[in-house]
Amino acid sequence: MEGAAILLGCLLFVYKSTAVELDTISDTSVLTDGDTLVSPAGIFELGFFKPGSSENRYLGIWYKKIADRMVVWVANRDSPLPGASPLVLKIVHQGILGLFHNISMIWSSNIITSGNTTARLQDNGNLVVINQQEKVIWQSFDYPTDTLLRGMKLGSEETLRRDYLRGITWRLTSWKSSQDPAPGDLTWGADTLGYPENKLKQGASIIFRDGPWSNERFVGVYIFGKRLTFTYNVIINESEVSFAYNIEDDSLLSIITLNSSMHLESWAWLEESRGWQQIVQFPRGPCDMYNICNAYGTCKINMNQQFCTCLDEKRFVPKNQKDWDIADWSGGCIRRTPLECKKGSEGFIKYSNVKLADTENAWFNLSMTLEECATKCLENCTCMAYANPDDTQSICLHWFNDLLDIQISHEGSGGSDIFVRMASSELDFKKQGRGSTKIILLVVILGVLLMGVSITTWLCYARRKSNQAKPTGEEEILMASKSQEEDMEQKLFSFFTIANATANFSPDNKLGEGGFGLVYKGMLEDGQEIAVKRLSKNSSQGHVEFQNEVICISKLQHRNLVKILGCCIEGDEKLLIYEYMPNKSLDSFIFDTTQSVLLDWTKRFNIIKGIARGLVYLHQDSRLRIIHRDLKAGNILLDHDMNPKISDFGLARSFGGNETQANTERVVGTYGYMSPEYALDGIFSIKSDVFSFGVLVLEIVSGKRNRGFVPSYNEHNFLEHVWSLYNEGRSMDLVDSSCAGSCHSTEVIRSIKVGLLCVQHNAGDRPNMSYVIQMLGDEGEPPQPKQPLFFMERQVHVANVSSITYIEGSTNNCTITELDAR
Ligand SMILES: *[C@@H]1O[C@H](CO)[C@@H](O)[C@H](O)[C@H]1NC(C)=O
Ligand SMILES: *[C@@H]1O[C@H](CO)[C@@H](O)[C@H](O)[C@H]1NC(C)=O
């Protein structure tokens, strides 16, 4: 026993003299230069470091196991320690944690207490000083530097807490430079004058704003990917206004950091690639710059050019058209019909997917229904708009001045509904002839609720409409919503018709097996050829949702998308009816030695451009924003004239509750076309489609299949092969021999370059599809691609080779707008 104690003592002694694995500093132990304090599970480490090539030393915290060190917190950012003289971190009198240089204390935790204290580094990266009752009396999380870790707060607190009075503001401040952690002039923190929101400022001027807080997400800011699902903890009460984030995947190492080049960046450490991956960066582009389009203006990018339009070009006009015409947006927009504020003469127009206006001067109430909110706004002539920023709660926001920094949300973002005050002559519902605001409101709200159901009902049951009484006001709503609905061609087919057309789903008529079911060829009585997808029966999804979704998807009309002609829903049967494509799919041509001669270069280049146009439509122009997620040669169908049509888009959420759930949890896609971030981490965005498109382009040019992730130790990886040819200036060697005779070398080289740009490892480096179109055209030389990562001779978990599409957002009240994977 005694021996053991001595042995233990020895061990302790040895342990302590190397002093690298302390996890506490008590009044008897110290941390000196070269020592580190490690959190219990070994996640974070506290120690001394020198930033970049600087000779100054700082006390900081970083992730222990990541060699590529990102310092997440600095103690003495204002007081650098030059030279090599000894440094000591220890607990001193009155429980203060102090950093000593020789004998002078150059930094301390500055909160005193009686009795002994201990400093500890926690596994969340928080350095705490606790007293004997284990109560935290000081924590580094209260003094953020330039990095926000999960659980850290932004905001402020002004009352009694932990037995002492203080007022504290949590905000990030950038480093002066990468060599100098001293506070720079950039800050990221909560603006709590009105309803709180985070602002990125340089000095006093606002660079970027994320939108009002909501429990679900930053309004106007949305980040994809199951593992990267951010959740927010928002506290708004008299004593505290704060905001913190968490990430679904507990094990994911992540940071949000404000760098000295005016960007707020979110990074995650990817174990698989042993690298930091940037998840998102704000501002994302010119349109994110604060209030760039001024009052009621919204920003767009077209042909790489930023420009502004009014929120609604029917009801708003530029304040000064002449300035507007020369791209001087400073005047913003005004209502075409000025407000008068006579009783009963005004109402609201709802705009969806909007980044809500600056709330600096907004009024709010945290427990008010949307209806109460509207009524109250209408009662006050100076109230210009109202909204609820958080659909999980009943928050009412009122704006009393012009709406600044609004933005119709673009790729990758969510948004909220905002109700903007309008003169009655601008309201769509006026013809109902009832001035009462209640009715207008009711119609608006009912409209939202009924939209999906009613369109569906109207379209799918068109043939039976005589027996069905429609809800009143429905027509009004349809009219008001958009004009295109009127010329919709979707039909409800009877099962009998389709069974007839396909000879009772005869195996002879089977065209193939797509995601979610078998595909048959058929012919309607009038001679029209159709393709019928018969969905697997065990779908638990309700009929109404299914119909609604089909209708929503079938509104997508573009000549490079396969057209959906209608649907059939009877009993367990759910069928989708498409136009028939006689030439089947692209893979049956390009990878087939006999067929491939039918595709000369002109046809191939046309196909490439057609697919690109279809994707621009899906990603940007359509009313739903769609990420295809399984773009591949097999999903590109060809019509009589070899025009490409993208198929299997937009259906993922339709087919089976289980599958719908699953697709957020498992990676589904096809070998060879999946972007690294999607294959490895399930992070998908339009840039994952861009990656697949790049692969497709290179396949079309070369006639070779990218086998991507299939382990092939001897064989060159396809992308590696393309890259090395490109690098050696031998790109033309890649061209499929069967079309070599018809080649147009500038087009070929341009295509290869675009393909390589699209398969770049970092999603942020990949161009978006409209830029791809420009590059494929003759507009300037594409930039130099970076070398793709020839990665991963490893089996990726691929559950099912089928088509999955994610529907990102809708601007048209279709109820499939399901943004959050919660
Ligand atoms: C918010 O509105 C509700 C309902 O109108 C009201 O009862 C409550 O007092 C309001 N709260 C504040 C702080 O104004
Ligand atoms: C209208 O709102 C403004 C701003 O909050 C307020 O100052 C004013 O008193 C309100 N007027 C009425 C009639 O409630």
Side-chain angles (χ1 to χ4, degrees), residues 452-453 456-457 460-461 464 492 535 537 539-551 567-575 654 815:
V453 180
T456 310
T457 316
C460 264
Y461 290 90
R464 306 176 191 176
L492 185 75
L535 305 169
K537 287 189 188 168
S539 152
S540 59
Q541 193 179 27
H543 282 188
V544 173
E545 290 100 313
F546 171 76
Q547 289 168 15
N548 190 28
E549 229 170 282
V550 170
I551 298 303
C567 59
C568 165
I569 303 156
E570 274 180 35
D572 283 348
E573 293 286 352
K574 287 176 187 161
L575 308 174
S654 312
T815 52

Side-chain angles (χ1 to χ4, degrees), residues 694-728:
V695 173
L696 198 48
V697 169
L698 299 173
E699 290 183 336
I700 294 172
V701 174
S702 66
K704 291 194 184 62
R705 213 186 266 276
N706 176 28
R707 291 177 200 281
F709 306 101
V710 175
S712 53
Y713 294 99
N714 311 321
E715 222 175 284
H716 252 330
N717 172 303
F718 174 69
L719 295 183
E720 189 174 2
H721 174 66
V722 176
W723 175 255
S724 54
L725 287 180
Y726 170 79
N727 244 358
E728 292 158 21

Side-chain angles (χ1 to χ4, degrees), residues 648-660:
D648 263 356
F649 55 88
L651 297 175
R653 303 192 73 83
S654 312
F655 309 128
N658 299 335
E659 273 159 325
T660 308

